[in-house]
């Protein structure tokens, strides 16, 4: 896979950066190769699907869990509205089983795991996920 970085910003935008192109050239300026639009508030966390360089998931202060695929355009391929009753702060895909991911929010209960989008996406009910990392920072909890 080529070296890529994904980032979110306070305006609700997500950018994918192909840093491999810049590393091969002489330019020190890096510009995004893709711009996703779908969040209505600050994007708190984004991550690539472990076995893909085109699929991304994101969470934000708008309480949305969004899935993206560059091959499908710049809009989300799946939106899980109001995934949480509070702002979402972190998301991570389970590297042992890419059908699971975890989210973390500013609350005392652990995040939930869901299946990522299938070819015809449909939101699935939360299920317990194993093999995910545990992170504690401020009041955020990810299990």
């Amino acid at each position: 896979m080529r070296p890529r970085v994904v980032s979110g910003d306070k305006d609700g935008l997500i950018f994918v950066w192909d840093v491999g192109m810049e590393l091969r050239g002489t330019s020190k300026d890096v510009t995004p190769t893709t711009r996703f639009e779908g969040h209505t508030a600050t994007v708190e966390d984004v991550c690539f699907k472990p076995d893909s360089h085109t699929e991304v998931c994101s969470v934000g202060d708008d309480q949305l869990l969004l899935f993206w695929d560059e091959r499908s355009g710049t809009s989300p391929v799946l939106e899980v509205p109001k995934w949480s009753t509070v702002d979402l702060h972190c998301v991570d895909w389970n590297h042992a089983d890419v059908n699971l991911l975890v989210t973390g929010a500013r609350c005392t209960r652990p995040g939930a795991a869901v299946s990522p989008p299938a070819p015809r996406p449909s939101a699935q009910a939360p299920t317990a996920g194993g093999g995910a990392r545990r992170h504690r920072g401020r009041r955020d909890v990810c299990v």
Side-chain angles (χ1 to χ4, degrees):
M1 282 192 244
R2 58 190 198 246
R4 302 184 68 168
V5 175
V6 61
S7 66
D9 74 6
K10 66 179 180 62
D11 296 322
L13 301 173
I14 296 170
F15 298 96
V16 177
W17 311 78
D18 188 349
V19 295
M21 289 190 319
E22 302 304 327
L23 293 174
R24 290 184 296 274
T26 56
S27 173
K28 294 186 184 202
D29 294 327
V30 178
T31 57
T33 56
T34 303
R35 174 182 159 158
F36 293 126
E37 297 182 23
H39 282 283
T40 58
T42 299
V43 176
E44 290 285 346
D45 198 13
V46 292
C47 66
F48 280 106
K49 185 176 179 184
D51 60 354
S52 174
H53 66 276
T54 63
E55 296 172 81
V56 175
C57 65
S58 63
V59 295
D61 288 349
D62 53 9
Q63 304 168 354
L64 294 175
L65 170 62
L66 299 178
F67 294 90
W68 314 84
D69 190 336
E70 283 184 291
R71 299 167 295 189
S72 298
T74 60
S75 297
V77 294
L78 175 65
E79 179 178 324
V80 184
K82 301 301 176 192
W83 177 246
S84 172
T85 57
V86 295
D87 298 352
L88 291 164
H89 293 290
C90 59
V91 63
D92 200 5
W93 236 298
N94 184 331
H95 288 254
D97 182 350
V98 295
N99 294 309
L100 301 174
L101 60 85
V102 292
T103 59
R106 188 174 182 148
C107 61
T108 57
R109 63 190 162 119
V114 297
S115 295
R120 292 185 168 253
S122 63
Q124 299 192 7
T127 59
R133 67 178 170 81
R134 183 172 186 87
H135 165 75
R136 287 185 182 265
R138 295 181 312 166
R139 294 173 141 185
D140 301 340
V141 179
C142 299
V143 293

